[in-house]
Amino acid sequence: MKDNANKSLTLKTLNKSNVWDIQENDIFRLWEVAEKDADLKENARHYMDIIRSAFEFEEVKIDKPEVIKKYEARGYKVGQIRLDENNKLKYAIKKRPIMRVTDLTYENIRHISAAKLMEVIDRNFGGGWDSLSQSIQDIIQTGFDISTTTLPKDRLHNKGGMYEKKIEDGFEVLEIPKGTWVEAIFAKEKPMMEKPRLSFGIDDESDIDVDDDDDDEDAPEIEDDYNKPDEDDDYDEDKLTEESYRTTFDENPEDLSLDAAEMADDDDY
């Protein structure tokens, strides 16, 4: 499906999101097709900016075989690009690698797999989910469902526990040792969804886009009571959750009730 989508792309439809779907050779192919367009020269800089958001892009100023071989040894593809009728230059192009959490953006987060995400987080000095900045967490959560838990390492893989259930549900997992405890980060790609729309049942033209920036002063205010606790619910302060493990980590985790860990809810982000 992705290959077919790539074939339908043109320079005009290329943007900073879908540019991550294509490879170096596609850039040269798209540019060659666009050479027939009269407005290529006027928009060349715009196209270059989009391409540079996902690719390293260098002009080959010394067109010699030994120089080109050096570029190719570094993973670049070399080809010609015509900027105008009388100016056809040679460029070296290479897809920007996503190696660190700081390489993640809102544009590329949906173009990596959950396994790749785990590799990237693992390179973040082993600090775990909470070591990531809020901005990086927000980027990740636009493309992935994230859950974490911190448990004693001899309890993490208990049969029928959270770990086993997440794996069965298709989540990738990263285990980060923390002394005798282990933090497990679970990640699963979110499905692509269309913008939700609300209909008030009057007619089709009255549908209102949820993401519309226009405020309707007459719209009724709906109070969200979903997350409010029921008045009749009894709150037991002595109950331990997996979050309790995390906050009491520096005290004496061996004294905690390990049986309570098996009943802890997972933390969904």
Side-chain angles (χ1 to χ4, degrees), residues 16 33 57 69 77 94 117-118 124 130 133 147 152 188 197 200 205 218 233-234 236 257 263 265:
K16 290 186 177 181
V33 173
F57 206 94
K69 284 183 179 179
K77 298 288 185 181
K94 182 173 72 171
L117 175 65
M118 295 292 93
N124 193 48
D130 289 337
S133 68
S147 301
K188 183 179 180 181
R197 297 179 67 87
F200 290 90
E205 295 180 357
D218 297 327
D233 286 352
D234 293 327
D236 187 351
S257 173
M263 301 173 60
D265 295 329

Side-chain angles (χ1 to χ4, degrees), residues 79-117:
Q80 290 184 321
I81 286 180
R82 185 186 298 279
L83 298 179
D84 55 53
E85 294 179 0
N86 303 314
N87 192 8
K88 195 165 189 176
L89 302 176
K90 190 162 283 190
Y91 284 90
I93 303 177
K94 182 173 72 171
K95 192 79 164 283
R96 292 187 182 279
I98 301 175
M99 303 295 292
R100 303 174 297 275
V101 292
T102 51
D103 294 325
L104 298 172
T105 67
Y106 286 106
E107 289 77 21
N108 67 27
I109 191 63
R110 283 193 171 274
H111 301 277
I112 64 172
S113 65
K116 176 66 175 179
L117 175 65

Side-chain angles (χ1 to χ4, degrees), residues 52-186:
R52 288 182 191 277
S53 69
F55 292 84
E56 296 176 15
F57 206 94
E58 296 184 21
E59 181 184 348
V60 180
K61 297 182 178 179
I62 303 176
D63 189 3
K64 293 184 178 180
E66 57 269 25
V67 174
I68 293 175
K69 284 183 179 179
K70 287 182 180 180
Y71 274 112
E72 292 174 343
R74 293 162 54 196
Y76 285 82
K77 298 288 185 181
V78 178
Q80 290 184 321
I81 286 180
R82 185 186 298 279
L83 298 179
D84 55 53
E85 294 179 0
N86 303 314
N87 192 8
K88 195 165 189 176
L89 302 176
K90 190 162 283 190
Y91 284 90
I93 303 177
K94 182 173 72 171
K95 192 79 164 283
R96 292 187 182 279
I98 301 175
M99 303 295 292
R100 303 174 297 275
V101 292
T102 51
D103 294 325
L104 298 172
T105 67
Y106 286 106
E107 289 77 21
N108 67 27
I109 191 63
R110 283 193 171 274
H111 301 277
I112 64 172
S113 65
K116 176 66 175 179
L117 175 65
M118 295 292 93
E119 292 178 12
V120 172
I121 295 177
D122 193 28
R123 294 193 186 100
N124 193 48
F125 310 109
W129 178 254
D130 289 337
S131 71
L132 302 177
S133 68
Q134 186 62 53
S135 60
I136 295 297
Q137 290 183 12
D138 290 344
I139 288 172
I140 292 173
Q141 289 177 312
T142 62
F144 295 89
D145 287 321
I146 300 292
S147 301
T148 69
T149 186
T150 302
L151 292 170
K153 61 182 179 181
D154 60 345
R155 292 277 179 169
L156 183 62
H157 297 147
N158 275 5
K159 185 174 179 61
M162 176 181 176
Y163 187 100
E164 183 179 273
K165 291 177 181 177
K166 288 291 185 182
I167 296 299
E168 290 176 352
D169 197 25
F171 281 76
E172 291 286 339
V173 62
L174 171 64
E175 297 182 30
I176 301 176
K178 294 185 174 181
T180 60
W181 292 51
V182 176
E183 176 182 0
I185 303 175
F186 304 94

Side-chain angles (χ1 to χ4, degrees), residues 11 14-16 19-20 31 43-55 57 96:
L11 284 185
L14 208 60
N15 58 52
K16 290 186 177 181
V19 70
W20 287 93
W31 206 285
N43 296 299
R45 179 173 293 183
H46 170 67
Y47 299 148
M48 284 285 195
D49 288 342
I50 291 175
I51 294 169
R52 288 182 191 277
S53 69
F55 292 84
F57 206 94
R96 292 187 182 279

